[in-house]
Amino acid sequence: MATRPDNDAYFMNMAKLSATRSTCLRRSVGAVIVKEKRILTTGYNGAPRGIKHCEETGCVRLENHIESGTRHELCRGVHAEQNAVIQAAYFGVSVKDASIYITNFPCVLCAKILINAGIKEVIYLDDYVDTLSREILEESNVLVRRYVENK
């Protein structure tokens, strides 16, 4: 009989599952917003609704040798965290005081969105180099912790 995962493992596994829907050629990221142990929304990185994905057009960032963690505006994709917050807004679901499980540490753009959306906790799996994001999150009241998988 399989061991029942704790809440962190369960929700991080859901974020990893969301990442499998990503259409990004550089990095597959998934996010799950949770409140009171209930999933509110999910998100993964990919092009906006109705727009061709990088799988079809190629990656602007790869073609132009844009360094990871820089020039976020030069990308067809919407980040997983952004999509999770957008999905909540689209369906009229408040994410105030919720937690977000993300497969990667958020970039500075996503950190600002999460702070203003009222997210109270960020749980991430893999690191991502963005010094300003870390500084902004440390200055905010958002709790940030790295999830460590039991292997």
Side-chain angles (χ1 to χ4, degrees), residues 4 9 32 35 51 57 67 69 81 84 87 90 97 101 105-108 118 120 122 128 135 141:
R4 182 175 188 232
V32 175
K35 188 172 184 178
I51 305 298
T57 64
E67 186 179 340
E81 306 92 318
Q87 187 182 84
Y90 188 87
D97 296 326
Y101 288 79
F105 190 87
C107 73
V108 67
K120 70 173 183 180
V122 171
Y128 180 73
E135 290 173 10
N141 290 324

Side-chain angles (χ1 to χ4, degrees), residues 113-132:
I113 288 169
L114 296 174
I115 292 165
N116 277 358
I119 295 292
K120 70 173 183 180
E121 183 179 29
V122 171
I123 304 99
Y124 69 98
L125 179 62
D126 294 326
D127 225 346
Y128 180 73
V129 179
D130 191 327
T131 307
L132 185 55

Side-chain angles (χ1 to χ4, degrees), residues 31-33 41 79-86 95-102 104-124 133 136-137 140-144:
V32 175
I33 298 180
T41 64
H79 290 187
E81 306 92 318
Q82 294 169 352
N83 272 326
V85 171
I86 291 165
V95 297
K96 184 178 183 296
D97 296 326
S99 299
I100 187 167
Y101 288 79
I102 319 167
N104 289 85
F105 190 87
C107 73
V108 67
L109 298 175
C110 290
K112 293 186 284 187
I113 288 169
L114 296 174
I115 292 165
N116 277 358
I119 295 292
K120 70 173 183 180
E121 183 179 29
V122 171
I123 304 99
Y124 69 98
S133 177
I136 287 174
L137 286 167
S140 75
N141 290 324
V142 177
L143 301 171
V144 178

